[in-house]
Amino acid sequence: MRLIPVITALLVLGVLYFVIFERDQLVAFAQGDAAPAAEAINETATATAANNTAASAAVGVVAMHSTAQTIDSAVVLRGRTEAARQVSVAAETSGLVISEPLRKGASVSEGDMLCRLDPGTREASLAEARARLAEAMGRVPEALAGVTEADARVREAEINLNAARQLSEDGFASETRLVGAQAAMDAATAGRQRANSAVASAEAGIEAAEAAVASAEREIERLEITAPFSGLLETDTAELGTLMQPGALCATIIQLEEIKLVGFVPELDVRKITVGAIAGARIADGREVQGLVTFLSRSSDELTRTFRVEVTIPNQDLAISDGQTAEIIVASEGQMAHLIPQSALTLDDDGVLGVRTVDADNTAKFMAVTLLRDTAQGVWVTDLPDALDIITIGQEFVVDGVAVAPTFQEAKG
């Protein structure tokens, strides 16, 4: 029973010996075995701290790989339909309407009579003008006869003057006789001039009379107001018994076999449209049509700074009416663009529209974009590199240079 206390006492003495007399060797032994373990622990702790720091600094975002595609950069306009031709047919003279009216919606052909006016005394005026023309034409032979007579007197006076001059030189006639012959010659010449003037006056009288006849005939022609082209009546023609004055409306005609789509393009897009370009449109009732750009204004509207565009389309069945709302799409040259979700768009501090991208070193970077088109699949934007990573979720929580931890999703095509 005394053996156990003895052993215990020996062990205590041995421990005390090493602690007191062999303390340096014991410490060195303990340090030599623990250093590698402590170093390993320190390295592990440092790496874990670094990882925790990096993880806490990087912002988790969702991004997509995007590659530019060639798209048809069509210009979309809001517009309306217009009749290819429309005219308000008005009276050119005064008079009472004596024809039955045609009702609006009726189809008329070129030359059809729309309104007939009472001739009144116009036929009598025409007869008077024709009589004056006949009278003026009768004066011409008389004037020509006067010219012939005047020529004969000039020749007679010339002969007498030559004879008097010869006799005066030979001393057989007095100076008085020579002067008289010269006076007769001058009088005959003046008579011939008067005869020629009478002929010119008679010819002028004929022209005046012909003009009066033409005016009377034209006045009678104006009594029948006809359709200048084929089309539809947009209004009733003037009612029977209406007193028409020059400029008074007889009827309005529109032509719809061809119809125009009219839109207004902003000044930033006007360079994208050319005359002859293919254009399509969707009418308000859902009908889709196609035609060509036939007119592009070179002068902008002073208020809106937009340019008028006209697209001509066939409308043989008259299914499209004047004044309908239309969405017009004008084709233009294709360009490279990215299709991205609309939610990926953001604004920088200056209010510039753009997207935030993942840079090569996994940091956020803002890039400005130009919005081309809004579709059901997303928005088409340009002014970006051909390939890049775009942040689609979380772009509002980062700024340029902030580290990000992206999770990628499939791009829309």
Side-chain angles (χ1 to χ4, degrees), residues 39-63:
E39 184 178 354
I41 292 173
N42 290 335
E43 291 178 356
T44 303
T46 302
T48 302
N51 290 337
N52 291 338
T53 302
S56 62
V59 179
V61 296
V62 177

Side-chain angles (χ1 to χ4, degrees), residues 79-88 232-235 252-262 283-285 308 310-311 313 315 317-326:
R80 66 181 186 276
T81 61
E82 282 189 4
R85 303 171 75 180
Q86 178 172 334
V87 64
S88 296
L232 299 175
L233 288 178
E234 187 69 6
T235 63
T252 299
I253 303 176
I254 60 174
Q255 189 178 74
L256 296 176
E257 283 77 10
E258 282 188 342
I259 203 161
K260 294 184 294 186
L261 303 175
V262 179
I283 311 301
D285 58 6
R308 181 183 174 99
E310 294 182 3
V311 178
I313 61 173
N315 187 36
D317 57 358
L318 307 183
I320 303 175
S321 302
D322 178 50
Q324 289 185 273
T325 302

Side-chain angles (χ1 to χ4, degrees), residues 7 37 208:
I7 295 172

